[in-house]
Coordinates of all heavy atoms in Angstrom, one line a residue:
M13 N 2.2 10.5 37.6 CA 3.3 10.0 38.4 C 2.7 8.9 39.4 O 1.7 9.2 40.0 CB 4.0 11.1 39.1 CG 5.2 10.6 39.9 SD 6.0 12.0 40.8 CE 6.6 13.0 39.5
R14 N 3.4 7.8 39.6 CA 3.0 6.8 40.6 C 3.0 7.4 42.0 O 3.8 8.1 42.4 CB 3.9 5.6 40.5 CG 3.8 4.9 39.3 CD 4.7 3.6 39.2 NE 5.9 3.7 40.2 CZ 6.2 2.7 41.0 NH1 5.5 1.6 41.1 NH2 7.2 2.9 41.8
R15 N 2.0 6.9 42.8 CA 1.9 7.3 44.2 C 3.0 7.0 45.0 O 3.5 7.8 45.8 CB 0.5 6.7 44.7 CG 0.1 7.3 46.0 CD -1.2 6.8 46.5 NE -2.3 7.4 45.7 CZ -3.1 6.8 44.9 NH1 -3.1 5.4 44.7 NH2 -4.1 7.4 44.2
E16 N 3.7 5.9 44.7 CA 4.9 5.5 45.4 C 6.1 6.5 45.1 O 6.9 6.7 46.0 CB 5.4 4.0 45.1 CG 4.4 3.0 45.6 CD 3.2 2.9 44.7 OE1 3.0 3.4 43.6 OE2 2.3 2.0 45.1
D17 N 6.2 7.0 43.9 CA 7.2 7.9 43.6 C 7.0 9.3 44.2 O 7.9 9.9 44.7 CB 7.2 8.2 42.1 CG 7.6 6.9 41.2 OD1 8.3 6.0 41.9 OD2 7.2 6.7 40.1
V18 N 5.7 9.7 44.3 CA 5.4 10.9 45.1 C 5.7 10.8 46.5 O 6.3 11.7 47.1 CB 3.8 11.2 45.0 CG1 3.4 12.4 45.8 CG2 3.5 11.5 43.4
V19 N 5.5 9.6 47.1 CA 5.8 9.4 48.5 C 7.4 9.6 48.8 O 7.8 10.3 49.7 CB 5.4 8.1 49.1 CG1 6.1 7.7 50.4 CG2 3.9 8.0 49.2
E20 N 8.1 9.1 47.8 CA 9.7 9.2 48.0 C 10.0 10.7 47.8 O 11.0 11.1 48.5 CB 10.3 8.3 46.9 CG 10.2 6.8 47.2 CD 10.6 6.4 48.7 OE1 11.7 6.9 49.0 OE2 9.9 5.8 49.3
L21 N 9.4 11.4 46.9 CA 9.8 12.8 46.6 C 9.4 13.6 47.8 O 10.2 14.5 48.2 CB 9.1 13.3 45.4 CG 9.6 12.7 44.1 CD1 8.7 13.2 42.9 CD2 11.0 13.2 43.8
I22 N 8.4 13.3 48.4 CA 7.8 14.0 49.7 C 8.9 13.8 50.9 O 9.3 14.7 51.6 CB 6.5 13.7 50.0 CG1 5.5 14.3 49.0 CG2 6.2 14.3 51.5 CD1 4.1 13.8 49.4
K23 N 9.3 12.5 51.0 CA 10.2 12.1 52.0 C 11.6 12.9 51.8 O 12.3 13.2 52.8 CB 10.5 10.6 52.0 CG 9.4 9.8 52.6 CD 9.7 8.4 52.6 CE 8.6 7.6 53.2 NZ 8.9 6.1 53.2
V24 N 11.9 13.1 50.6 CA 13.2 13.7 50.3 C 13.1 15.2 50.6 O 14.1 15.9 51.2 CB 13.7 13.5 48.8 CG1 14.8 14.4 48.4 CG2 14.1 12.1 48.6
D25 N 12.1 15.9 50.3 CA 11.9 17.3 50.5 C 11.3 17.8 51.9 O 11.6 18.9 52.3 CB 11.0 17.9 49.4 CG 11.6 17.8 48.0 OD1 12.8 17.6 47.9 OD2 10.8 18.0 47.1
L26 N 10.7 16.9 52.7 CA 10.1 17.2 53.8 C 11.0 17.8 54.9 O 10.7 18.6 55.6 CB 9.3 16.1 54.4 CG 8.2 16.4 55.4 CD1 7.2 17.5 54.8 CD2 7.4 15.2 55.7
P27 N 12.3 17.3 55.0 CA 13.2 17.9 56.1 C 13.4 19.4 55.8 O 13.7 20.1 56.8 CB 14.5 17.2 55.8 CG 14.1 15.8 55.3 CD 12.9 16.2 54.4
D28 N 13.1 20.0 54.6 CA 13.2 21.4 54.5 C 12.1 22.1 55.0 O 12.1 23.4 55.1 CB 13.4 21.7 52.9 CG 14.6 21.3 52.4 OD1 15.6 21.1 53.1 OD2 14.7 20.9 51.1
H29 N 11.0 21.3 55.3 CA 9.7 22.0 55.8 C 9.4 21.9 57.2 O 8.6 22.5 57.9 CB 8.5 21.5 55.1 CG 8.6 21.8 53.6 ND1 8.1 23.0 53.0 CD2 9.1 21.2 52.5 CE1 8.3 22.9 51.7 NE2 8.9 21.9 51.4
T30 N 10.2 20.9 58.0 CA 9.9 20.6 59.3 C 11.2 20.2 60.1 O 12.0 19.6 59.5 CB 8.8 19.6 59.5 OG1 8.5 19.4 61.0 CG2 9.2 18.2 59.0
D31 N 11.3 20.6 61.3 CA 12.4 20.2 62.1 C 12.0 18.9 63.0 O 13.0 18.2 63.6 CB 12.9 21.3 63.2 CG 13.3 22.5 62.5 OD1 14.0 22.3 61.4 OD2 13.1 23.6 62.8
G32 N 10.9 18.5 63.0 CA 10.4 17.4 63.9 C 10.4 16.1 63.0 O 10.7 16.0 61.9
A33 N 10.1 15.0 63.8 CA 10.1 13.6 63.1 C 8.8 13.7 62.2 O 7.8 14.3 62.4 CB 9.9 12.6 64.2
F34 N 8.9 12.9 61.2 CA 7.8 12.8 60.2 C 7.9 11.4 59.5 O 8.9 10.6 59.6 CB 7.9 13.8 59.1 CG 9.1 13.6 58.2 CD1 9.1 12.9 57.1 CD2 10.3 14.3 58.6 CE1 10.2 12.7 56.3 CE2 11.5 14.3 57.6 CZ 11.4 13.4 56.6
D35 N 6.7 11.0 59.1 CA 6.7 9.8 58.2 C 5.7 10.1 57.1 O 4.7 11.0 57.1 CB 6.1 8.6 59.0 CG 6.4 7.2 58.4 OD1 7.1 7.2 57.4 OD2 5.9 6.2 58.9
V36 N 5.7 9.4 56.0 CA 4.9 9.5 54.8 C 4.4 8.1 54.4 O 5.3 7.2 54.3 CB 5.6 10.2 53.6 CG1 4.6 10.5 52.6 CG2 6.3 11.5 54.0
K37 N 3.1 8.0 54.3 CA 2.5 6.7 54.0 C 1.4 6.7 53.0 O 0.8 7.8 52.8 CB 1.9 6.0 55.3 CG 2.7 5.8 56.5 CD 1.8 5.3 57.5 CE 2.3 5.3 58.9 NZ 1.6 4.6 59.7
I38 N 1.2 5.6 52.3 CA 0.1 5.5 51.6 C -1.0 4.8 52.3 O -0.8 3.6 52.9 CB 0.4 4.7 50.3 CG1 1.4 5.4 49.4 CG2 -1.0 4.4 49.4 CD1 1.9 4.7 48.2
E39 N -2.2 5.4 52.4 CA -3.3 4.8 53.2 C -4.6 4.9 52.4 O -4.7 5.6 51.4 CB -3.5 5.6 54.5 CG -2.2 5.5 55.5 CD -2.4 6.2 56.7 OE1 -3.2 7.2 56.8 OE2 -1.8 5.7 57.8
S40 N -5.7 4.3 53.0 CA -6.9 4.5 52.3 C -7.9 4.6 53.3 O -7.9 4.1 54.5 CB -7.2 3.3 51.4 OG -7.2 2.1 52.2
D41 N -9.1 5.2 53.0 CA -10.3 5.3 53.8 C -11.5 5.3 52.8 O -11.4 4.9 51.7 CB -10.2 6.5 54.6 CG -10.2 7.9 53.8 OD1 -10.4 7.8 52.6 OD2 -10.0 8.9 54.4
D42 N -12.7 5.7 53.4 CA -13.9 5.7 52.6 C -13.8 6.5 51.3 O -14.6 6.4 50.3 CB -15.1 6.0 53.4 CG -15.4 5.0 54.4 OD1 -15.0 3.9 54.3 OD2 -16.2 5.3 55.4
G43 N -13.0 7.6 51.4 CA -12.7 8.5 50.2 C -11.8 8.0 49.2 O -11.6 8.6 48.1
G44 N -11.1 6.8 49.4 CA -10.1 6.3 48.5 C -8.7 6.3 49.0 O -8.5 6.6 50.2
T45 N -7.7 6.0 48.1 CA -6.4 5.9 48.5 C -5.9 7.5 48.6 O -6.2 8.2 47.7 CB -5.6 5.0 47.6 OG1 -6.2 3.8 47.5 CG2 -4.1 4.8 48.0
H46 N -4.9 7.6 49.5 CA -4.3 9.0 49.7 C -2.9 8.8 50.3 O -2.6 7.8 50.8 CB -5.2 9.8 50.6 CG -5.4 9.3 51.9 ND1 -6.5 8.5 52.2 CD2 -4.8 9.4 53.1 CE1 -6.5 8.1 53.4 NE2 -5.4 8.7 54.1
I47 N -2.3 9.9 50.3 CA -0.9 10.0 50.9 C -1.1 10.7 52.2 O -1.6 11.8 52.3 CB 0.0 10.7 50.0 CG1 0.4 9.9 48.7 CG2 1.5 11.0 50.7 CD1 1.1 10.7 47.6
T48 N -0.6 10.1 53.3 CA -0.6 10.8 54.6 C 0.8 11.2 55.1 O 1.7 10.3 55.0 CB -1.2 9.9 55.7 OG1 -2.6 9.4 55.2 CG2 -1.4 10.5 57.0
I49 N 0.9 12.4 55.4 CA 2.1 13.0 56.0 C 2.0 13.1 57.4 O 1.1 13.9 57.9 CB 2.6 14.3 55.4 CG1 2.7 14.2 53.9 CG2 3.8 14.9 56.0 CD1 2.8 15.5 53.1
L50 N 2.6 12.3 58.2 CA 2.5 12.5 59.7 C 3.6 13.3 60.2 O 4.8 13.0 59.9 CB 2.6 11.1 60.4 CG 1.4 10.1 59.9 CD1 2.0 9.1 59.0 CD2 0.9 9.4 61.2
I51 N 3.3 14.4 61.0 CA 4.3 15.2 61.6 C 4.2 15.4 63.0 O 3.1 15.5 63.5 CB 4.3 16.6 60.8 CG1 2.9 17.2 60.9 CG2 4.8 16.5 59.5 CD1 2.9 18.7 60.4
E52 N 5.3 15.5 63.8 CA 5.3 15.7 65.1 C 5.4 17.2 65.5 O 4.9 17.7 66.6 CB 6.4 14.9 65.9 CG 6.2 13.4 65.9 CD 7.1 12.6 66.7 OE1 8.1 13.2 67.2 OE2 7.0 11.3 66.8
D53 N 6.1 18.0 64.7 CA 6.1 19.4 64.9 C 5.1 20.2 64.0 O 5.1 20.1 62.9 CB 7.6 19.9 64.3 CG 7.7 21.4 64.5 OD1 6.9 22.1 65.1 OD2 8.7 21.9 64.0
H54 N 4.1 20.6 64.7 CA 2.9 21.2 64.1 C 3.0 22.5 63.6 O 2.1 23.1 62.9 CB 1.7 21.1 65.1 CG 1.5 19.9 65.8 ND1 0.8 19.6 66.8 CD2 2.0 18.5 65.4 CE1 0.7 18.3 67.1 NE2 1.4 17.6 66.2
T55 N 4.1 23.2 63.8 CA 4.4 24.6 63.4 C 4.0 24.9 62.0 O 3.4 25.9 61.8 CB 5.8 25.0 63.8 OG1 6.2 24.6 65.1 CG2 6.0 26.5 63.7
N56 N 4.5 24.2 61.0 CA 4.4 24.4 59.7 C 3.4 23.5 58.9 O 3.5 23.3 57.7 CB 5.7 24.3 58.9 CG 6.6 25.3 59.4 OD1 6.3 26.4 59.9 ND2 7.9 24.9 59.5
S57 N 2.4 23.0 59.7 CA 1.5 22.1 59.1 C 0.7 22.6 57.8 O 0.6 21.9 56.8 CB 0.5 21.5 60.1 OG -0.2 22.5 60.6
Q58 N 0.3 23.9 57.9 CA -0.6 24.4 56.8 C 0.4 24.7 55.6 O 0.0 24.4 54.4 CB -1.1 25.8 57.2 CG -2.3 25.5 58.2 CD -3.4 24.7 57.7 OE1 -3.9 24.9 56.5 NE2 -4.0 23.8 58.5
Q59 N 1.7 25.2 55.8 CA 2.6 25.3 54.8 C 3.0 24.0 54.0 O 3.2 23.9 52.9 CB 3.9 26.1 55.3 CG 3.6 27.5 55.7 CD 3.2 27.6 57.1 OE1 2.8 26.6 57.8 NE2 3.2 28.7 57.7
I60 N 3.1 22.9 54.9 CA 3.4 21.6 54.2 C 2.3 21.2 53.4 O 2.5 20.7 52.3 CB 3.7 20.7 55.5 CG1 5.0 21.0 56.1 CG2 3.7 19.2 55.0 CD1 5.2 20.2 57.4
L61 N 1.0 21.3 53.9 CA -0.2 20.8 53.0 C -0.2 21.6 51.8 O -0.4 21.1 50.7 CB -1.4 21.0 53.9 CG -2.7 20.6 53.2 CD1 -2.7 19.1 52.7 CD2 -3.9 20.8 54.1
K62 N 0.0 23.0 51.9 CA -0.1 23.8 50.7 C 1.1 23.4 49.7 O 0.8 23.2 48.5 CB 0.0 25.3 51.0 CG 0.0 26.2 49.9 CD -0.4 27.6 50.2 CE -0.4 28.5 49.0 NZ -0.9 28.0 47.7
A63 N 2.3 23.3 50.1 CA 3.5 23.0 49.4 C 3.3 21.7 48.6 O 3.5 21.7 47.4 CB 4.8 23.0 50.2
F64 N 3.0 20.7 49.3 CA 2.9 19.4 48.6 C 1.5 19.1 47.9 O 1.4 18.5 46.9 CB 3.1 18.3 49.6 CG 4.6 18.2 50.0 CD1 4.9 18.6 51.3 CD2 5.6 18.0 49.2 CE1 6.2 18.6 51.8 CE2 7.0 18.1 49.6 CZ 7.2 18.4 50.9
G65 N 0.5 19.8 48.4 CA -0.9 19.7 47.7 C -0.8 20.5 46.5 O -1.4 19.9 45.3
D66 N -0.1 21.5 46.4 CA 0.0 22.3 45.1 C 1.0 21.6 44.1 O 0.7 21.4 43.0 CB 0.5 23.7 45.4 CG -0.5 24.6 46.0 OD1 -1.5 24.3 46.1 OD2 0.0 25.7 46.4
R67 N 2.1 21.0 44.7 CA 3.0 20.4 43.8 C 2.6 19.1 43.2 O 2.8 18.8 42.1 CB 4.3 20.1 44.6 CG 5.4 19.5 43.8 CD 6.6 19.5 44.7 NE 7.7 18.6 44.1 CZ 8.8 18.2 44.7 NH1 9.0 18.5 45.9 NH2 9.7 17.4 44.1
F68 N 1.7 18.4 44.1 CA 1.2 17.1 43.6 C -0.3 17.1 43.5 O -1.0 16.3 44.2 CB 1.7 15.9 44.5 CG 3.2 15.8 44.5 CD1 3.9 16.2 45.8 CD2 4.0 15.4 43.5 CE1 5.2 16.2 45.8 CE2 5.4 15.4 43.6 CZ 6.0 15.8 44.7
S69 N -0.8 18.0 42.8 CA -2.2 18.3 42.9 C -3.1 17.1 42.3 O -4.3 17.1 42.5 CB -2.6 19.6 42.0 OG -2.2 19.4 40.7
D70 N -2.5 16.2 41.6 CA -3.2 15.0 41.1 C -3.4 13.9 42.3 O -4.1 12.9 42.1 CB -2.6 14.4 39.9 CG -1.1 14.0 40.2 OD1 -0.5 14.6 41.1 OD2 -0.7 12.9 39.6
Q71 N -2.9 14.2 43.5 CA -2.8 13.3 44.5 C -3.8 13.8 45.7 O -3.7 15.0 45.9 CB -1.5 12.9 45.0 CG -0.6 12.3 44.1 CD -1.0 10.8 43.6 OE1 -1.5 10.1 44.4 NE2 -0.7 10.5 42.4
R72 N -4.4 13.0 46.5 CA -5.0 13.4 47.7 C -4.0 13.3 48.8 O -3.5 12.2 49.0 CB -6.2 12.5 47.9 CG -7.0 12.9 49.2 CD -8.4 12.1 49.2 NE -8.8 12.1 50.6 CZ -9.3 11.2 51.2 NH1 -9.4 9.9 50.6 NH2 -9.6 11.1 52.4
I73 N -3.7 14.4 49.4 CA -2.7 14.4 50.5 C -3.3 15.0 51.8 O -4.0 16.0 51.8 CB -1.5 15.4 50.1 CG1 -0.8 14.8 48.9 CG2 -0.5 15.5 51.2 CD1 0.3 15.6 48.3
I74 N -3.0 14.2 52.9 CA -3.5 14.6 54.2 C -2.4 14.8 55.1 O -1.3 14.0 55.1 CB -4.4 13.4 54.7 CG1 -5.7 13.2 53.9 CG2 -4.7 13.7 56.3 CD1 -6.5 12.1 54.2
V75 N -2.3 15.9 55.9 CA -1.3 16.1 56.9 C -1.9 15.8 58.3 O -2.9 16.3 58.6 CB -0.8 17.5 56.9 CG1 0.2 17.8 58.1 CG2 -0.2 17.9 55.6
A76 N -1.3 14.7 59.0 CA -1.8 14.4 60.3 C -0.8 14.8 61.3 O 0.4 14.6 61.3 CB -1.9 12.8 60.3
K77 N -1.3 15.7 62.2 CA -0.5 16.2 63.3 C -0.5 15.2 64.5 O -1.6 15.0 65.0 CB -0.9 17.6 63.7 CG -0.9 18.5 62.6 CD -1.2 19.9 63.1 CE -2.7 20.1 63.2 NZ -3.1 21.6 63.5
V78 N 0.6 14.6 64.8 CA 0.6 13.5 65.8 C 1.5 14.0 67.0 O 2.3 14.9 66.8 CB 1.2 12.3 65.2 CG1 0.4 11.7 64.1 CG2 2.6 12.3 64.9
P79 N 1.2 13.5 68.2 CA 2.0 14.0 69.4 C 3.5 13.5 69.3 O 3.9 12.7 68.6 CB 1.3 13.2 70.6 CG 0.2 12.5 70.0 CD 0.3 12.5 68.5
E80 N 4.3 14.4 69.9 CA 5.7 14.1 70.0 C 6.0 12.7 70.5 O 5.4 12.4 71.6 CB 6.4 15.1 70.8 CG 8.0 15.1 70.7 CD 8.5 16.3 71.3 OE1 7.9 17.4 71.3 OE2 9.6 16.2 71.9
G81 N 6.8 11.9 69.9 CA 7.1 10.7 70.4 C 6.2 9.5 69.7 O 6.6 8.3 69.9
Y82 N 5.2 9.9 69.1 CA 4.3 8.9 68.5 C 5.0 8.0 67.4 O 4.7 6.8 67.4 CB 3.0 9.6 67.9 CG 2.0 8.8 67.3 CD1 1.2 8.0 68.1 CD2 1.8 8.7 65.9 CE1 0.2 7.3 67.5 CE2 1.0 7.9 65.3 CZ 0.1 7.2 66.1 OH -0.8 6.4 65.6
L83 N 5.7 8.7 66.5 CA 6.3 8.0 65.4 C 7.3 7.0 66.0 O 7.5 5.9 65.4 CB 7.0 8.9 64.5 CG 5.9 9.8 63.7 CD1 6.6 10.8 62.8 CD2 4.9 9.0 63.0
D84 N 8.2 7.3 67.0 CA 9.0 6.4 67.6 C 8.3 5.2 68.2 O 8.7 4.0 68.1 CB 9.9 7.1 68.7 CG 11.0 7.9 68.2 OD1 11.4 7.6 67.0 OD2 11.4 8.8 68.9
Y85 N 7.1 5.5 68.8 CA 6.3 4.4 69.4 C 5.8 3.4 68.3 O 5.9 2.2 68.4 CB 5.1 5.0 70.2 CG 4.1 3.9 70.5 CD1 4.4 3.2 71.5 CD2 2.9 3.8 69.8 CE1 3.3 2.2 71.9 CE2 2.0 2.9 70.1 CZ 2.2 2.0 71.2 OH 1.3 1.1 71.6
L86 N 5.4 4.0 67.1 CA 5.0 3.2 66.1 C 6.1 2.3 65.5 O 5.9 1.1 65.3 CB 4.4 4.1 64.9 CG 3.0 4.6 65.1 CD1 2.6 5.5 63.8 CD2 1.9 3.6 65.3
R87 N 7.2 2.9 65.3 CA 8.4 2.2 64.8 C 8.7 1.0 65.7 O 9.1 -0.1 65.4 CB 9.6 3.1 64.6 CG 9.3 4.0 63.3 CD 10.5 4.8 63.1 NE 10.1 5.9 62.1 CZ 10.0 7.1 62.3 NH1 10.3 7.6 63.4 NH2 9.6 7.9 61.3
S88 N 8.7 1.2 67.0 CA 9.2 0.2 68.0 C 8.0 -0.8 68.2 O 8.4 -2.0 68.3 CB 9.4 0.8 69.4 OG 8.3 1.4 70.0
S89 N 6.9 -0.5 67.9 CA 5.7 -1.5 68.0 C 5.9 -2.4 66.8 O 5.6 -3.6 67.0 CB 4.4 -0.7 68.0 OG 4.2 0.0 69.1
R90 N 6.1 -1.9 65.7 CA 6.3 -2.7 64.5 C 7.4 -3.7 64.7 O 7.3 -4.8 64.2 CB 6.5 -1.7 63.2 CG 5.3 -1.1 62.7 CD 5.6 -0.4 61.5 NE 4.7 0.7 61.3 CZ 4.9 1.8 60.7 NH1 6.1 2.1 60.3 NH2 3.9 2.7 60.6
R91 N 8.5 -3.3 65.2 CA 9.7 -4.1 65.4 C 9.4 -5.2 66.4 O 9.9 -6.3 66.1 CB 11.0 -3.3 65.9 CG 11.7 -2.7 64.8 CD 12.9 -2.0 65.3 NE 12.6 -0.6 65.3 CZ 13.0 0.3 66.1 NH1 13.9 -0.1 67.0 NH2 12.6 1.5 66.1
Q92 N 8.7 -4.9 67.3 CA 8.3 -6.0 68.4 C 7.4 -7.0 67.8 O 7.4 -8.1 68.1 CB 7.7 -5.3 69.6 CG 8.7 -4.5 70.5 CD 8.1 -3.9 71.6 OE1 6.8 -3.9 71.8 NE2 8.8 -3.2 72.4
S93 N 6.5 -6.6 66.9 CA 5.6 -7.5 66.2 C 6.2 -8.5 65.2 O 5.6 -9.4 64.7 CB 4.3 -6.8 65.7 OG 4.7 -6.0 64.6
D94 N 7.4 -8.0 64.7 CA 8.0 -8.8 63.6 C 8.7 -9.9 64.1 O 9.0 -10.5 65.0 CB 9.1 -7.9 62.9 CG 8.3 -6.9 62.0 OD1 7.2 -7.0 61.7 OD2 9.0 -6.0 61.6

């Protein structure tokens, strides 16, 4: 399955796993390309990693716990730079 399709499936299912704001992106680092799930509500971070890591075992998935309000800040920063 294409990485972009996996991202869309995660975006559809993630509201069932967290009550907080989230974002899902394709990123890369020295280890290669991966899917990053950014979450503001840290309560279920381990369950999120397990659920999507098991479901999409052919993909490298990272869960990043970010501070509350961070995703709104990123979105507003992007709009201002456009």
Side-chain angles (χ1 to χ4, degrees):
M13 184 178 300
R14 292 179 336 130
R15 195 171 280 119
E16 292 81 6
D17 296 334
V18 172
V19 167
E20 290 304 315
L21 290 171
I22 292 173
K23 285 181 179 180
V24 168
D25 290 345
L26 202 52
D28 295 334
H29 296 273
T30 185
D31 292 328
F34 66 86
D35 196 9
V36 184
K37 305 179 187 189
I38 297 174
E39 298 182 327
S40 64
D41 60 13
D42 292 341
T45 305
H46 57 271
I47 297 170
T48 302
I49 302 171
L50 298 104
I51 56 171
E52 289 186 0
D53 178 8
H54 306 167
T55 309
N56 297 326
S57 60
Q58 292 297 318
Q59 291 88 346
I60 291 169
L61 180 59
K62 179 159 179 38
F64 293 111
D66 289 350
R67 183 171 168 195
F68 304 110
S69 59
D70 60 328
Q71 300 291 329
R72 183 171 158 225
I73 297 178
I74 296 172
V75 174
K77 300 185 284 186
V78 299
E80 192 171 322
Y82 179 76
L83 296 174
D84 282 336
Y85 170 76
L86 281 182
R87 289 181 189 115
S88 66
S89 296
R90 284 185 202 145
R91 274 184 258 149
Q92 289 176 0
S93 67
D94 290 343

